[in-house]
Amino acid sequence: MERTILRARVLTFHRTPQGVRDEGAYTYLEDGAITIEEGLVTALGDYAATATVGARVVDHRPHLILPGFIDTHVHYVQSQILASYAGSLLEWLETYTFLEEQKFAEPDHAARIAACFFDELARHGTTTAATYGSMHAASVDAFFAEAERRDLRMICGKVMMDREAPDALRDTAQSAHDDSKALIERWHGRGRGLYAITPRFAITSTPAQLEAAGALLSAYPDCYLQTHLGENAAEIRYSLELYPMARDYTGIYESFDLLGPKTLLGHCIHLTEREVGLLAETRSVAVFCPTSNLFLGSGLFDRTRLQTAGVRIGLATDVGGGTNFGLLRTLDEGYKVLQLRGERMDPFQSFHMATRGNAEALGLADRIGSIAAGMEADLVVLDASATPAMTLRMETVTTLAEELFLIQTLGDDRSVVETYGAGRPLKSASAFPRASR
Ligand code: GUN
Ligand code: ZN
């Protein structure tokens, strides 16, 4: 059995840090050794105290290894429309998104974009993502087939949408139910794949379809449910026109039993007190998508308000409304959003959120998001001196907190030296740029 040891500085979190001096929240090893066997971490310790005989040692010094980044909301089918000029959400959906997603009727296109998407994730240090496909079941088949090839822990679902979309993108309540069920049977729990029941949002689903989504969730309670909530004023207004009996936007999902601990709700920017209370009570997850919220002018996520109310929070890129595949740029813009709200997020909290925090949001903290014996060997190797400006700034850095903040603020895919999925190098193995198949 092959044993690999990664040697580097290592940082992994045990819980949410309560400030930069909260050393009990994490383990930091100046000269660490991560032992990997058959895709799992089997030991973490000081290099000097680690048995290396018979092992293959990969020396990543002076870089920093963290658990692989986790993205809790991203649309792989929008990989070719990020950076599309639009005023706001509904215009962006109609102008670009609903055209783009029609291309996924073609399985070869889905396979090519899935491969490109996974290459991008690897280049940016992301090892798990809760992902939206298009309405085509084949888009999800292509996604999971590629995830399986790379042995990645990935979440995906077929978008359910039976109204307010072009004909070519509309399913029906019944066909969406049946297609989703078949995909769940095929992919949920196969290898490292997990399924998310995915009604796009209230506007594009009839009551019959949301009812079908609720039936699926109750039949398959291990699956996730992912959708959008409270992103934009026009979206909220139109949702309530289409569901006139609902008390508020969250009330629509509530009435179809779609809320709960496995429910991931993208955006959650504009919510009433009742809605915030309902999210906390149901243990649903509010997903912060800073680059998207800024790019589409959707608004400023109120992390403190949600946290104070006891709402679970995730962090995500939301490509292609979001403008970057990576968690580093996402953390940086998230930091700036919180600055505008007069809130702080210290660098330990940031990197906790991108790793263990997001693993907790997905209910997967026993498998991913930290580095310890028994955890899946999904890792990112970060270089704080990846560019001339970073090297110059590093000359004045004296603490780990400063280094992390520098990586978050100035770093991007160039700071990702390597990404490991189940112990295998992914970034150096990815073919970029990828030719058409
Ligand atoms: N609301 C419904 N669909 C979408 C989408 O694809 N992106 C974003 N940002 N919001 C949505
Ligand atoms: Zn989204």
Side-chain angles (χ1 to χ4, degrees), residues 6 19 27 45 60 80 86 108 156 179 199 222 238 257 266 284 303 330 336 338 342 346 355 374 399 401:
L6 305 184
T27 292
H60 280 299
Q80 285 191 300
D108 283 350
C156 190
D179 286 352
D222 284 353
Y238 196 28
D257 284 333
S284 304
R303 174 170 164 263
T330 302
K336 293 170 188 169
L338 299 182
D346 75 55
T355 58
T399 66

Side-chain angles (χ1 to χ4, degrees), residues 1-245:
M1 184 168 57
E2 186 175 75
R3 196 155 54 92
T4 302
I5 293 175
L6 305 184
R7 181 176 189 182
R9 295 184 295 132
V10 179
L11 176 65
T12 181
F13 294 93
H14 313 302
R15 58 169 168 76
T16 309
Q18 308 296 319
V20 288
R21 278 180 241 294
D22 183 8
E23 290 177 6
Y26 61 87
T27 292
Y28 173 65
L29 301 174
E30 194 64 51
D31 186 7
I34 303 168
T35 307
I36 299 170
E37 291 167 79
E38 300 202 332
L40 297 179
V41 173
T42 51
L44 171 68
D46 288 320
Y47 185 78
T50 301
T52 57
V53 179
R56 191 172 65 91
V57 177
V58 182
D59 193 346
H60 280 299
R61 289 176 300 166
H63 303 314
L64 185 60
I65 300 188
L66 273 82
F69 295 136
I70 298 169
D71 187 347
T72 55
H73 180 124
V74 58
H75 301 252
Y76 100 83
V77 292
Q78 296 172 11
S79 295
Q80 285 191 300
I81 55 158
L82 79 173
S84 292
Y85 182 78
S88 60
L89 173 66
L90 299 181
E91 180 197 327
W92 176 82
L93 284 172
E94 280 166 24
T95 312
Y96 306 104
T97 318
F98 289 166
L99 285 179
E100 182 65 18
E101 293 190 9
Q102 292 182 42
K103 296 181 187 165
F104 287 78
E106 182 50 62
D108 283 350
H109 178 73
R112 182 172 92 86
I113 300 300
C116 293
F117 176 76
F118 284 116
D119 284 352
E120 276 307 303
L121 294 193
R123 284 167 20 73
H124 287 82
T126 298
T127 48
T128 290
T131 314
Y132 287 60
S134 64
M135 60 74 73
H136 312 93
S139 73
V140 177
D141 285 323
F143 179 94
F144 279 123
E146 192 63 41
E148 188 168 76
R149 219 166 281 136
R150 300 179 194 222
D151 197 6
L152 291 174
R153 182 157 293 290
M154 285 286 163
I155 301 167
C156 190
K158 173 209 124 61
V159 161
M160 305 167 75
M161 48 198 299
D162 65 348
R163 68 173 176 193
E164 299 290 328
D167 287 352
L169 275 193
R170 264 189 272 134
D171 50 21
T172 66
Q174 190 65 49
S175 74
H177 175 277
D178 297 350
D179 286 352
S180 302
K181 183 174 178 346
L183 288 165
I184 292 168
E185 302 278 349
R186 192 143 65 240
W187 294 111
H188 184 69
R190 171 165 154 180
R192 302 179 76 198
L194 296 167
Y195 195 82
I197 298 155
T198 309
R200 180 173 213 119
F201 63 163
I203 291 177
T204 47
S205 285
T206 59
Q209 187 166 72
L210 290 188
E211 197 171 320
L216 283 168
L217 189 60
S218 83
Y220 298 98
D222 284 353
C223 288
Y224 293 92
L225 185 129
Q226 59 183 358
T227 187
H228 298 85
L229 175 67
E231 180 173 3
N232 162 288
E235 171 216 17
I236 296 168
R237 222 178 304 119
Y238 196 28
S239 300
L240 293 175
E241 275 174 35
L242 292 168
Y243 285 92
M245 305 299 279

